[in-house]
Amino acid sequence: MAVGGVIIIVIRLIAIECKAVPTVNVMTVGVDQGLGDDGLGGGGDENERKRDILEFSVRLTTFRNCILCSVHSSSPHSLTLMFFPPLDSTVFVDVPSNVHAGGVSLLFRARTGSASALEQLKHDGVKVQAWTNAPVDDDRAEGEWGAYNFEEASVVNPVNSDDPIVPFSLPPPIEDNVLEEPYTLFLTLKLRHLPRYQTKTDFLLTYRLLYPNGKIRWLGYYRRDLHCVLKKTDPWLAPPAPPNQSSGSVSHPFTSITMKEPWGCWAIGRRSVKYYSKGTGTDDEAVFFVLVPRRGPSTFALHQPIVLHGAGLKLDPSGIVMCHTSTATRVYTAITSQPELSCAIPALDLHWFGVKEGLAFIASAAPERPVSVYAVPLSIDTNPIKRSKTVSLDLTSHKLLAEHQRFVVYVPLTNGVSDSDNWGTGTHQLPLSVGRSGGSCILRGESRM
């Protein structure tokens, strides 16, 4: 619609009520087409016309909030942005009470829908932003409003052209393959810990576009922001159940996993390290459960892994954790678990490599051949940019395959194979590239022909 020679840009909002899992806002930014003489839309049925009248009324009453704005666009096409979580909805997030638990990060998405739309945003120099008073862990005062930019996620690790050694890539467990989210902009907000005296708080957030000339277009209506409620509650586990000593049972239900987001479990027991996806029961008893969050297209709250340490740990498909009544089961943040793991792993007839880049490296112990190596995440990088962690394991110092001149690395999940000669003749260094969910491989020593 043209008024006084000025093009009016219309932002339409489809708001879907959000319950446990929010959907998305779809916002179309472009030149309004097909308007009748009354400026309310020329076609459609009576209901469509009523919606147009309502929209026009809302536009008039919200003009001061820049729902309507006059801009000059270099693109003749409209741009559709789908936001997650959506505006005009309420989401609830559990936050850990322990200040050492690593806090929680929130992951926001702006989906452009196509490569051309994303390229148009970059070409025009338009920044997609969140405007919020969230308690972000930065220099802003509590309750202060601020703008945060959405960024495009890179899927490629930087390559050092001067380094001739290419690390062997460990694929994630097959159930944990992360679905790609193409043409999407991301924003991660790491929140502060709630004060000891505070059990609940909330904040508001809306989306906007910032143009190179400094103009701002607000993508929302007055009092229809995203409302986020933070509640101090264990995000991982239900309160532990007291053991029933009179039952005479060796095992009892300890707790249940209540994590709302996707997750997986690394179970560590005697001569055994296995990964189980959510909804899968464990095969054998374990001494450690490492519960690791997964990131999927609908993940909003990102929590750090935790460790359960006890005896006879078993997990059923519904998420109930069983343990032996004779041994106390402890729960702690995974990144602080290195002392317990380093002491207990050798007693389980496993080999302890140590912790590198937030990953615990464990191997099958001698005289087992071939050697299985496991990378178990103890901390999660909440940055949406998908960068694997690169580490190098010194097999010689750990006396693994030392009697062999060379070794072969094999991954059963993908049938991937590599030879130690690729990293230098006679070397017993194992360079690995590991993703967020960890992974495993098999090493087999060979004599040189």
Side-chain angles (χ1 to χ4, degrees):
M1 178 173 61
V3 179
V6 178
I7 295 177
I8 295 182
I9 303 299
V10 178
I11 301 171
R12 301 184 185 275
L13 172 66
I14 300 174
I16 304 175
E17 184 177 2
C18 172
K19 297 297 185 184
V21 179
T23 52
V24 295
N25 282 132
V26 180
M27 298 182 179
T28 303
V29 184
V31 179
D32 206 349
Q33 301 282 339
L35 294 177
D37 292 338
D38 57 2
L40 300 177
D45 58 15
E46 183 65 17
N47 289 333
E48 181 68 24
R49 185 177 177 85
K50 288 179 180 178
R51 282 196 295 270
D52 282 336
I53 293 173
L54 176 60
E55 267 195 1
F56 188 72
S57 175
V58 171
R59 292 174 201 164
L60 292 178
T61 57
T62 58
F63 184 86
R64 293 181 62 185
N65 288 319
C66 299
I67 292 300
L68 277 174
C69 52
S70 300
V71 299
H72 299 281
S73 174
S74 62
S75 171
H77 305 292
S78 63
L79 168 67
T80 299
L81 293 174
M82 294 175 288
F83 287 94
F84 175 88
L87 298 178
D88 198 18
S89 65
T90 300
V91 292
F92 298 86
V93 177
D94 296 333
V95 296
S97 57
N98 185 353
V99 295
H100 302 294
V104 61
S105 296
L106 304 181
L107 180 58
F108 300 84
R109 296 168 174 83
R111 298 184 172 108
T112 65
S114 68
S116 59
L118 182 58
E119 189 60 34
Q120 187 65 50
L121 271 178
K122 293 189 289 186
H123 178 269
D124 292 344
V126 180
K127 292 185 180 297
V128 181
Q129 295 184 325
W131 176 257
T132 181
N133 63 341
V136 180
D137 190 11
D138 59 14
D139 296 332
R140 287 189 172 92
E142 185 174 353
E144 181 181 352
W145 287 78
Y148 298 88
N149 293 332
F150 282 77
E151 302 288 349
E152 186 179 6
S154 172
V155 297
V156 181
N157 288 331
V159 176
N160 185 354
S161 58
D162 296 330
D163 191 350
I165 297 177
V166 178
F168 185 77
S169 180
L170 288 189
I174 192 66
E175 302 90 345
D176 255 10
N177 284 328
V178 177
L179 296 177
E180 297 294 335
E181 297 183 66
Y183 324 127
T184 301
L185 301 174
F186 297 92
L187 168 65
T188 301
L189 297 181
K190 187 178 189 307
L191 304 184
R192 300 187 187 118
H193 300 289
L194 292 184
R196 188 182 300 274
Y197 61 84
Q198 194 172 19
T199 60
K200 186 177 180 181
T201 190
D202 63 348
F203 65 86
L204 299 174
L205 181 143
T206 191
Y207 304 112
R208 70 182 196 177
L209 301 180
L210 175 63
Y211 289 84
N213 61 6
K215 288 190 176 182
I216 294 172
R217 185 182 304 161
W218 298 91
L219 305 181
Y221 296 151
Y222 180 58
R223 292 185 177 177
R224 292 190 179 181
D225 297 332
L226 168 66
H227 180 213
C228 188
V229 180
L230 308 176
K231 185 178 180 182
K232 194 177 284 185
T233 305
D234 189 336
W236 276 107
L237 303 173
N244 185 358
Q245 301 290 354
S246 61
S247 67
S249 176
V250 176
S251 298
H252 78 99
F254 171 67
T255 185
S256 60
I257 301 174
T258 56
M259 171 58 68
K260 300 172 184 176
E261 307 288 1
W263 53 270
C265 174
W266 284 91
I268 305 172
R270 184 165 296 279
R271 297 182 181 178
S272 174
V273 182
K274 293 181 180 180
Y275 176 86
Y276 299 89
S277 59
K278 179 182 179 181
T280 306
T282 53
D283 301 323
D284 306 303
E285 293 185 346
V287 175
F288 291 98
F289 280 166
V290 183
L291 303 180
V292 182
R294 292 170 46 202
R295 207 199 82 193
S298 62
T299 299
F300 178 50
L302 295 164
H303 297 275
Q304 290 298 319
I306 64 167
V307 166
L308 278 67
H309 183 193
L313 297 179
K314 297 198 75 173
L315 177 66
D316 76 4
S318 66
I320 295 177
V321 178
M322 303 289 293
C323 68
H324 283 181
T325 56
S326 59
T327 304
T329 301
R330 294 183 295 161
V331 181
Y332 36 81
T333 309
I335 195 60
T336 65
S337 64
Q338 182 172 352
E340 287 79 6
L341 288 170
S342 62
C343 292
I345 292 299
L348 298 174
D349 292 333
L350 294 168
H351 186 87
W352 175 247
F353 270 100
V355 176
K356 294 176 178 287
E357 298 291 334
L359 296 158
F361 286 91
I362 304 168
S364 55
E368 286 191 25
R369 294 292 185 271
V371 177
S372 297
V373 176
Y374 308 91
V376 180
L378 299 184
S379 67
I380 297 296
D381 181 5
T382 58
N383 194 311
I385 297 177
K386 303 173 187 176
R387 298 191 187 278
S388 299
K389 297 177 179 179
T390 302
V391 299
S392 182
L393 303 181
D394 186 354
L395 303 183
T396 302
S397 64
H398 289 268
K399 300 179 181 179
L400 290 178
L401 304 179
E403 68 277 16
H404 296 277
Q405 295 177 319
R406 57 191 288 270
F407 62 91
V408 172
V409 189
Y410 172 62
V411 177
L413 284 177
T414 60
N415 290 324
V417 180
S418 187
D419 193 298
S420 61
D421 286 348
N422 294 333
W423 305 308
T425 304
T427 182
H428 272 64
Q429 294 287 328
L430 175 60
L432 295 173
S433 176
V434 189
R436 282 190 177 95
S437 297
S440 63
C441 62
I442 296 174
L443 308 181
R444 186 181 71 246
E446 293 187 353
S447 299
R448 199 174 303 279
M449 299 297 295

